[in-house]
Amino acid sequence: MELLRADGSATAIGAAKRRSVLAALAIEVNRVVSADRLIDIAWDGAPPPTARAALQGHIAKLRKELGDGVDLVTRAPGYQLVAPRAAVDMTRFEDLVAAARNAPDADAVELLDAALALHRGPPLADVASDRLRREVVGRLDESMISAVHELAWRLHRIGRATEAIEPLREAVAMRPLREPLVELLVLSLHQAGRQAEALDVYHATRSRLADELGVAPGPALQAAFQRVLESTEDSPPAAVPAQLPAENAGFVGRGAELAELDRAGDGAIRVLTGPAGAGKTALALRWAHRAAAQFPDGALFADLRGFGEVDPVEPGTVLSAFLRGLGVPDARIPDDPDEPGALYRSVLSGRRVLVVLDNARSATQVRPLLPGPGSAVLVTSRSRLDELAATAGAVRVPVPPLSRGAAVGVLRFALGTERVDADPEAAEELAELCERLPLALRIAGSRPAHRTVRSLVTAAADERYRLTALSLPDSGEGVRAALAASYHRLDPGTARLFRLLGEHPGDSVERSAAAALADTPLVETCARLEQLAAIHLLQETEHGRYRWSDLVRLYATEVAATETTAERDRAFSRLLDHYLHVTDRSLRFLGDCARWLAPPTEAPAVRTAQSALTWFRTEETTLHRVLERAVARQEHARACHLALSLGRFHHRLGDRDARTELSRLGLGLARELGDARAQAAFSAILAEDLAS
């Protein structure tokens, strides 16, 4: 008997008779209990003459201890405890059990579990009133046993009978001759594969029935015994699935990644994550076949199609297939979408199975397919699956491009040793053009035997045709298709940002430049850049800067062409303005004269002369490419200003040749514009350079 505060801490009730009074009122919550009955309970039928006055004292003390929302009021002919039914665990138990009666099995199990969690031992064990215990304990025990019986049946129906075994053992210990309870315990042990224990329970009950009542087990209990007996004698061994596809021929390298998978330990969730075409599936199958001996109960495999042209596979579909692979008949697979997962975990309970989930899109798709303890999971995904790492402790193993030696090894397998050895330098060049991605390398190596390695390099070197050169002519499968599968999974805003990144001439972008390109707030842009990084279309190289590979850049350029010319022009103009703004701001810290443009509202952190030079060194190649593209797009005014700014940076760094070249370019642009001021500036710089 406890009185708890709102924070869960216990309030001291005090005298033993006060504890009995509170127990009697709580059991009859919201009903009037007469003063005579309370006296009879507190003094066990032998009250002294002062009992009524003492009762009033106990009531007064209890009123002071009761919290908000609970009142102890005087109601003739006695007192009434007024409280929500959920405030008393006994009535809360009754309400949960009542709610379970008409609920679906899975919901009922949750309700009954919650109800039985309120049972913490013999009721009223610390209440002094023997009379109250005699009246109440038997009824409460029966309620608890009935709830266990209902829970066990529900669990049995959804294939989770293992969870009912311990509650049933406790109930049978309290009512050892109640055959329906024993029957359910026998069947639950049978479903859990514990046949010997099931037979022991039956025989112990049969002996007790004979000794104490002189009767044999009833038909239902005998039928349960017969079912266990038949399964023990005749049932085939449990199904051992062997669903792993064959390994890819010509697997090369990945020693570090295989070692990291080994180190993850028993029962771990391993996630192979990397860009499209990096060979995640091949690596997963290599490790899975190599580790198969660690999983004597078999291996399950599913392609979740997270990044394919068709919709991803629903977890429920995979669960049904897995259950069939584990030997569960279709008739036993529940129709309720919430229940196959419970059956799946129950079937795998106590078994060591490897579950390989290939090409997962999200943690939401993976989580329902996770088995219980003992089994291991290997997931491959283009997504980092951050949520799975955060909530399920998944161990992520990045799958980067191959080393150069391993990449050439793939070409050696695909093209043949003779062709590669005839021109090893060309083989290395081809490996780099394929970005050392196994998918691209295998496609490049699938070309006809009369093609030399050098001819393959020539075909792939032309950026206009590289994605085509790395695609299969019949099916169109290849690098372009793999990147398209990732791109088409993006939300509209992130897809637009990716397209506009095709207008960026560099190989990396700082987040404020991306915001300018897309004309979106910095916070929104950062979230979208992170989405692109999460599926390996971009790679965050340092805080706020994202890099893309040449193949991703070429694909972004392709999809950028789906934007209107006007939108692409506006995007590039915004990018050009951004760089003009930042160069202006940076030059101010270097003591340079005022520029034509004001600093942007959102720009990299340039606050000192040193940070200005660092920014320029980081962006130097990109700035020159932006200048080239500005000239090509006839943005002569902005190009003229950018050339002058870049020249000033090169002067600071002592690179006179670069400044002279920029000044010649700028002077030509200034003449075309008829900009006398700019002409004078560039002419002065050229004269200074020539004089020195």
Side-chain angles (χ1 to χ4, degrees), residues 70-93:
V70 180
D71 293 314
L72 181 50
V73 298
T74 302
R75 293 275 191 274
Y79 302 94
Q80 181 182 10
L81 186 68
V82 180
R85 286 178 61 83
V88 178
D89 58 3
M90 188 186 81
T91 46
R92 184 180 173 205
F93 174 91

Side-chain angles (χ1 to χ4, degrees), residues 245-298:
E247 288 189 65
N248 288 358
F251 184 90
V252 179
R254 300 300 188 195
E257 289 81 6
L258 289 166
E260 197 166 348
L261 289 171
D262 288 339
R263 284 194 296 270
D266 291 345
I269 302 169
R270 300 163 170 87
V271 177
L272 292 172
T273 176
K280 299 179 291 295
T281 300
L283 174 58
L285 292 176
R286 166 55 63 97
W287 184 83
H289 280 284
R290 198 175 73 169
Q294 301 174 32
F295 303 97
D297 297 310

Side-chain angles (χ1 to χ4, degrees), residues 7 23 33 67 90 117 136 158 168 181 201 250 285 300 318 356-357 385 444 466 470 475 557 584 593 644-645 660:
D7 64 2
V33 183
M90 188 186 81
V136 173
I158 61 176
L168 279 171
L181 287 175
V201 169
L285 292 176
L300 298 165
V318 179
V356 181
L357 304 172
L385 300 184
R466 188 178 305 168
L470 299 179
S475 65
T557 302
D584 172 56
C593 59
L644 184 60
S645 297
T660 300

Side-chain angles (χ1 to χ4, degrees), residues 177 201-215 217:
L177 299 180
V201 169
Y202 171 79
H203 288 304
T205 303
R206 179 180 57 80
S207 298
R208 194 160 190 166
L209 286 168
D211 293 344
E212 297 185 21
L213 301 179
V215 298

